[in-house]
Amino acid sequence: MEQYAVEMLHITKRFPGIIANDDITLQLKKGEIHALLGENGAGKSTLMSVLFGLYTPEEGEIRMDGQAVKIRNPNDANARGIGMVHQHFKLVECFTVLDNIIMGVEPTNKLGFLQKKHAREKVLAMSEKYGLHVNPDALISDITVGMQQRTEILKMLYRENDILIFDEPTAVLTPQEIDELMQIMKNLAAEGKSILFISHKLNEIMAVADRCSVLRKGKYIGTVEIKNTTKAELSRMMVGRDVKFAVDKEEAKPADVVMDVQHMTVASKQHDNDAVRDVSFQVRRGEIVCIAGIDGNGQSELVFGVTGLEPLKSGKITMCGQDITKAPIRKRSTSGMSHIPEDRHKHGLVLDYTLEDNMVLQRYFEPQFTNGIGFLKRGAIHAYAEKLIDQYDVRSGQGAVTVARSMSGGNQQKAIIAREIDKDPELLVAVQPTRGLDVGAIEYIHQQIVAQRDAGKAVLLVSLELDEVMNVSDRILVMYEGEIVGEFDPKKVTVEELGLYMAGAKREGVAQ
């Protein structure tokens, strides 16, 4: 008889308008890495939230080591040795890394005073052992998303959990960080920890998992041994059809300059050095220019400078011949700039608004949506949102009136992309546009970005995914430590060569 660490038997979980999990059975062996694969909104995160005690299922039971258990809340889960790294991290931004790791299990002396010294030593020892190098004294608000994720992993390890749930752990990581995380997961499994790994990145599942269970639209499709399957087979199980992995596009036909950035410098919030240092580049109509680089080399600040989220320290930005260096965000938006932001929760959506209100965030004042005396045309907004939901296959329980917070991460992303592309921009700034999306959705979003280019728009793509950089872009600019260190043609450069520039091992005098 196979000994399972966790069994989830016939789990059903319903929400208004949707059955998120429909009679799902999942069995996790001791010491295995078990992948959970499915499209955005297939029910993966919901199933893991049931296991972690965030949701109570309407039907089904959970067994651990063969015994039925009740997990009423995350404290129950932690007490039973279950830890979870959520897709959207559960960290307190104004606390340090160390404070977040020990929160809820703070070490105190007999008088109840906090004893951080020992905790700090334990955290540093663990980060050394697992290769999770973090600065325990840094504030969460000041560190990269990759570092935040390491903090979440250390939070689990600090509690000595044996069953580890990773919900889309690589959605926000660079290729190098992904390789490191894969190694960390293998090390943890080798130590006897059992890992559930939610993903829709087939390369990673093939590289790291022992078995994979597939969900589609809330239903269980099957479980396969990784050594006996292929990426094509997994994607077919996941999407229900064959998926093209290559991006179809014609040669670029660059025309006149839409955005011209000259000698841009942006200050850093984390240290005295500037995050972006004297950067100049141009984006033309009919081309996709991609900024590539390892996370934390100034890409975020470059985008903040271009889109108006941060002021420039020096330099000049012109768009369609207009100087927008000091223009407010709305002015940039109405002048023809669209922005798919890196952090969809912080800069992309108002999570407690409905989907329809989020769809018109930058356009509610237009005559189409507001009457002459300042009242919103609710019917027009609703119809507009329904059109975009249908066109971009945004899945939600209650359509346009769904609260954004309740949607899966991938569907939140699709909603933002629908809104930004439908504004018919002159310049589309797309930062990690396919982060957290499944192969079917990635295929669709890439088609949309290429269609924007072919319609004569300028596209500035910022991506940490090397596959995306190589497949989608027409011109690649590599950023390292706040500077552009190389310009490449994706058809003539190798991934290895790009990697050397991204790591700072090589640089060139870039001819603009």
Side-chain angles (χ1 to χ4, degrees), residues 37 201-207 226 228-238 241-243 245 439 467:
L37 177 68
K201 293 189 180 172
L202 300 169
N203 291 345
E204 291 164 13
I205 289 176
M206 298 301 286
I226 290 299
N228 303 333
T229 191
T230 62
K231 278 185 1 185
E233 176 60 31
L234 285 176
S235 66
R236 204 173 302 119
M237 285 175 76
M238 169 165 98
R241 63 178 173 85
D242 289 332
V243 175
F245 291 101
V439 284
D467 286 351

Side-chain angles (χ1 to χ4, degrees), residues 181-325:
L181 178 68
M182 297 287 130
Q183 195 51 54
I184 288 162
M185 284 166 70
K186 286 177 179 166
N187 296 349
L188 290 167
E191 285 191 5
K193 296 194 186 292
S194 310
I195 295 175
L196 276 162
F197 165 46
I198 300 181
S199 181
H200 30 230
K201 293 189 180 172
L202 300 169
N203 291 345
E204 291 164 13
I205 289 176
M206 298 301 286
V208 80
D210 300 305
R211 293 191 303 152
C212 177
S213 294
V214 181
L215 304 185
R216 187 161 80 228
K217 293 186 178 169
K219 289 186 162 59
Y220 172 74
I221 301 297
T223 300
V224 291
E225 296 272 346
I226 290 299
K227 61 179 184 289
N228 303 333
T229 191
T230 62
K231 278 185 1 185
E233 176 60 31
L234 285 176
S235 66
R236 204 173 302 119
M237 285 175 76
M238 169 165 98
V239 185
R241 63 178 173 85
D242 289 332
V243 175
K244 282 206 296 258
F245 291 101
V247 179
D248 284 336
K249 63 187 183 56
E250 307 281 311
E251 276 293 310
K253 301 179 185 70
D256 51 321
V257 172
V258 170
M259 186 175 70
D260 190 359
V261 175
Q262 292 299 327
H263 306 294
M264 173 161 117
T265 297
V266 183
S268 168
K269 287 185 168 175
Q270 295 170 356
H271 43 69
D272 295 337
N273 296 344
D274 294 323
V276 179
R277 298 206 285 273
D278 193 28
V279 163
S280 300
F281 64 93
Q282 294 178 327
V283 190
R284 294 176 171 82
R285 289 190 188 286
E287 73 167 347
I288 299 169
V289 174
C290 180
I291 306 274
I294 296 168
D295 194 20
N297 277 282
Q299 301 97 313
S300 300
E301 290 84 356
L302 176 107
V303 171
F304 288 174
V306 165
T307 56
L309 287 167
E310 287 283 334
L312 302 196
K313 202 167 166 183
S314 62
K316 182 179 179 186
I317 306 172
T318 47
M319 187 172 84
C320 304
Q322 271 187 308
D323 185 345
I324 59 161
T325 313

Side-chain angles (χ1 to χ4, degrees), residues 360 363-364 366-371 375-377 380-381 384:
V360 294
R363 302 180 59 180
Y364 65 88
E366 293 178 7
Q368 184 184 347
F369 303 119
T370 309
N371 65 17
F375 286 102
L376 294 175
K377 296 179 181 171
I381 290 173
Y384 174 69

